[in-house]
Amino acid sequence: DTEVTQTPKHLVMGMTNKKSLKCEQHMGHRAMYWYKQKAKKPPELMFVYSYEKLSINESVPSRFSPECPNSSLLNLHLHALQPEDSALYLCASSQIRDVLRTNTGELFFGEGSRLTVL
Amino acid sequence: RKEVEQDPGPFNVPEGATVAFNCTYSNSASQSFFWYRQDCRKEPKLLMSVYSSGNEDGRFTAQLNRASQYISLLIRDSKLSDSATYLCVVNRSGGSSNTGKLIFGQGTTLQVKP
């Protein structure tokens, strides 16, 4: 079982809906990530939070809004999505090497939230 | 050109075969390198880190050539349970601005047949 928990596992929403994806880890990791994965494609980085601050936004459309309420939680708020946003959304966490302030490279992924936008 | 390139395969091999996957990366600021494994409809999981000196974990051997910007994974004595997608991952330095980011290759699909 993964130590990163994502909810919901499946979500179907209309283009006018507002929903949120949630992610939780209790490994003490200070870097958390959102990735998007389409079928037969690799995970694509969306956002990185380090020490609860947004450090990387890969030019993601504003209809995706991340939030990191504390060091264990990461949310992704969804609003006015398009059908092409349907994908598996993966949350991950990693340790940060405090001296170098870089991630260790070992990502722990949740099982993902499979999103369908109608 | 993609930052991390892999042959997507699929590689179809019989049980017991030895199979090798290759990966190239284009950004010389890349700091560290990994192979991840992803089973169908599951999340990716770290298989092993990759070092210039090479590293071995049981039937799996990984190698990094920084001069050629090339990473390899060798699987010996393939098992049915090795069937999965193998993702080459490069950790790109963020300098002082961030903790860096992991860039995934397209993945190479391995199917081991009885």
Side-chain angles (χ1 to χ4, degrees):
Chain A
D1 281 345
T2 182
E3 295 179 76
V4 176
T5 305
Q6 287 188 245
T7 55
K9 289 197 182 338
H10 299 275
L11 178 63
V12 179
M13 61 187 289
M15 289 190 283
T16 57
N17 292 159
K18 279 187 186 181
K19 297 284 184 185
S20 296
L21 305 181
K22 297 186 183 300
C23 175
E24 190 168 359
Q25 58 89 14
H26 294 288
M27 294 179 281
H29 292 169
R30 303 305 296 276
M32 295 187 76
Y33 309 76
W34 280 114
Y35 280 85
K36 172 182 176 179
Q37 188 173 27
K38 296 276 231 180
K40 299 193 186 303
K41 297 286 187 185
E44 287 179 38
L45 184 64
M46 299 174 73
F47 302 104
V48 181
Y49 274 82
S50 53
Y51 300 104
E52 295 87 70
K53 289 188 172 28
L54 183 65
S55 62
I56 296 176
N57 175 342
E58 292 285 91
S59 303
V60 179
S62 60
R63 57 186 184 268
F64 295 91
S65 174
E67 179 198 18
C68 189
N70 59 54
S71 60
S72 300
L73 294 174
L74 186 66
N75 298 323
L76 186 62
H77 302 299
L78 314 171
H79 178 228
L81 294 195
Q82 305 296 312
E84 59 264 29
D85 295 324
S86 299
L88 180 68
Y89 288 84
L90 291 160
C91 173
S93 68
S94 73
Q95 300 262 23
I96 295 176
R97 294 192 182 99
D98 282 332
V99 173
L100 299 173
R101 308 292 270 199
T102 58
N103 73 74
T104 60
E106 181 174 7
L107 296 184
F108 291 78
F109 283 90
E111 293 181 345
S113 292
R114 195 164 294 280
L115 174 67
T116 302
V117 182
L118 301 175
Chain B
R1 186 186 168 193
K2 292 181 185 155
E3 187 166 344
V4 182
E5 297 221 49
Q6 291 181 253
D7 178 351
F11 285 58
N12 295 303
V13 303
E15 269 187 293
T18 294
V19 62
F21 304 140
N22 303 320
C23 168
T24 57
Y25 62 96
S26 59
N27 193 320
S28 57
S30 304
Q31 287 186 316
S32 49
F33 308 88
F34 308 88
W35 285 100
Y36 277 71
R37 169 187 171 139
Q38 186 169 24
D39 291 291
C40 188
R41 301 186 73 81
K42 295 281 194 180
E43 74 276 16
K45 291 186 179 176
L46 178 67
L47 179 67
M48 58 199 304
S49 303
V50 189
Y51 307 112
S52 297
S53 53
N55 52 310
E56 190 172 311
D57 182 2
R59 299 181 291 109
F60 298 82
T61 301
Q63 189 76 50
L64 165 67
N65 183 322
R66 280 191 187 270
S68 304
Q69 296 186 185
Y70 171 94
I71 302 156
S72 65
L73 177 68
L74 184 76
I75 305 175
R76 289 179 298 278
D77 189 23
S78 301
K79 311 287 185 198
L80 296 176
S81 57
D82 293 334
S83 298
T85 296
Y86 291 84
L87 298 154
C88 175
V89 181
V90 167
N91 194 2
R92 177 147 48 92
S93 167
S96 58
S97 62
N98 62 66
T99 54
K101 53 182 168 180
L102 283 89
I103 310 296
F104 284 75
Q106 185 179 356
T108 299
T109 300
L110 172 66
Q111 191 67 244
V112 181
K113 307 278 190 191

